[in-house]
Amino acid sequence: MDFELSDEQEAIREEVRRFAENEIAPVATEYDVEEKYPHDVMEKAAEMGLTGSSIPIEYGGAGYTPLENAIIIEELFSYDPGIALSITSAAFGADTIREFGTDEQKEKYLTPIAEGDAVMGTAISEPDTGSDVSAVSTRAEKDGDEYVLNGNKMWITNGSVGDYFVVMCKTDPDADDRYSGFSQIIVESDRDGFSSEKITGKLGIRASDTAELIFDDVRVPEENLVGTEGMGFLQLMQFFDETRTMVAAQAVGIAKGACERALDYAQEREQFGKSIGEFQAIQHKLSEMHTKTEAARNLTYKSAWSVDNADDQLTALASMAKEFASKTAVECADEAVQIHGGAGYVNDFDVERLYRDAKITQIYEGTTEIQKNIIARELMGKGF
């Protein structure tokens, strides 16, 4: 087994870290407090190829592997999860188009993302539909050579800033089973009948745009259908292993950021005539934080490697990585605030923001409880 990253992968890490230090760290608090989308940072990220890191080279992207993308995500999230999510989510939904879309769809929708000229999103969750994707009720009815969409989507990343969305909808309400009759359709945000309402007051990731989407007789041409009609649910399921691995990488980044800031503060802050890092109680906290983060990183990297190597244990690994890494992020952020004491309770220090940001990793892309269900199902079904 080889745990060493290649020179190229280490170079990617260092380049992304420099970008985060220079472009994200100085403005992170501002965007968090004002809950505004980081348009200026996004432009610079696009110039570095970060908005198209997972998009194939032939469509203007960097074509990085899942492991390399996990490294990028980890570094960005260690500085500010809100801005980091804005950057890494610019291509939400691109995986579906990449895998199932036509050549024309790939050229039309992937290239602008890679070049920084557009932002996209994927619209699945609804006001009454979260973990149960098969309960999606947004309808898309065929009318001649068009689809007419009606319904609402909730908690949609990039919802009020996106240029187009891959929308999960019901195209055949009379399908034989609950997993059939769904399709994924691309909807541009400038279509008549489309509207969005930005969601504010979030606990964390405030720089990242989140919104409710409303479809009121929105008409799109039939060529906006991605793949085969009625296969949308099965298409979506193919990518959860990868997306959950990337959320695990987000959590590793948050844990890493919390560890680094806690260590720095422990060495600088003095009480009773010496740095608090000299007290055993603080040393134990730091030891546990760094150990858990390293364990989470290794599990996440193994899952990312498995995405690229078609490992038959991937589904369980991805859920293990997400469940463990997200718990680690929450725990490390909590301890980082504790080490900072009162100073960690205000936004003069980054740990206050990381503490709020960490929680979302236990919720989106499948809650902690859902991940445990998946792990148990995989164990019972085929062992591990």
Side-chain angles (χ1 to χ4, degrees), residues 109 123 138-153 163-167 169-171 185-196 212-225:
Y109 297 111
T138 295
R139 290 283 302 278
E141 298 182 358
K142 197 71 178 295
D143 182 18
D145 60 356
E146 294 181 315
Y147 285 99
V148 183
L149 282 79
N150 284 282
N152 290 53
K153 295 293 183 179
D163 296 281
Y164 35 86
F165 301 86
V166 176
V167 182
C169 49
K170 192 79 171 176
T171 47
I185 298 174
I186 302 168
V187 179
E188 295 87 354
S189 59
D190 59 359
R191 296 275 178 184
D192 290 340
F194 176 95
S195 60
S196 63
E212 178 181 8
L213 307 185
I214 299 96
F215 304 93
D216 184 8
D217 286 335
V218 179
R219 290 180 171 271
V220 300
E222 60 184 357
E223 56 261 31
N224 279 27
L225 173 69

Side-chain angles (χ1 to χ4, degrees), residues 11-23:
I12 290 171
R13 183 191 295 281
E14 289 305 313
E15 191 65 24
V16 173
R17 190 174 184 85
R18 280 194 294 270
F19 173 85
E21 287 177 347
N22 295 329
E23 306 297 342

Side-chain angles (χ1 to χ4, degrees), residues 121-242:
T122 184
I124 303 170
S125 297
E126 298 180 354
D128 296 321
T129 304
S131 297
D132 185 6
V133 176
S134 65
V136 161
S137 61
T138 295
R139 290 283 302 278
E141 298 182 358
K142 197 71 178 295
D143 182 18
D145 60 356
E146 294 181 315
Y147 285 99
V148 183
L149 282 79
N150 284 282
N152 290 53
K153 295 293 183 179
M154 182 62 79
W155 314 118
I156 305 306
T157 300
N158 300 329
S160 72
V161 299
D163 296 281
Y164 35 86
F165 301 86
V166 176
V167 182
M168 174 67 77
C169 49
K170 192 79 171 176
T171 47
D172 181 7
D174 299 320
D176 293 337
D177 65 81
R178 63 183 313 208
Y179 303 115
S180 299
F182 296 97
S183 301
Q184 298 194 83
I185 298 174
I186 302 168
V187 179
E188 295 87 354
S189 59
D190 59 359
R191 296 275 178 184
D192 290 340
F194 176 95
S195 60
S196 63
E197 184 173 343
K198 181 179 174 67
I199 297 171
T200 58
K202 294 184 298 183
L203 174 68
I205 55 167
R206 293 177 173 175
S208 173
D209 181 77
T210 309
E212 178 181 8
L213 307 185
I214 299 96
F215 304 93
D216 184 8
D217 286 335
V218 179
R219 290 180 171 271
V220 300
E222 60 184 357
E223 56 261 31
N224 279 27
L225 173 69
V226 182
T228 304
E229 183 175 291
M231 298 297 290
F233 184 89
L234 297 177
Q235 292 171 353
L236 182 66
M237 291 300 108
Q238 293 191 36
F239 295 107
F240 269 135
D241 292 339
E242 182 172 357

Side-chain angles (χ1 to χ4, degrees), residues 45-98:
E47 292 174 3
M48 272 196 64
L50 295 177
T51 58
S53 63
S54 62
I55 292 176
I57 294 173
E58 56 265 38
Y59 299 106
Y64 287 136
T65 67
L67 177 55
E68 289 161 350
N69 276 304
I71 292 169
I72 290 170
I73 289 170
E74 177 186 340
E75 291 304 319
L76 292 175
F77 272 75
S78 71
Y79 280 86
D80 179 66
I83 295 178
L85 183 59
S86 299
I87 294 170
T88 58
S89 71
F92 268 10
D95 47 8
T96 296
I97 297 175
R98 182 189 68 213

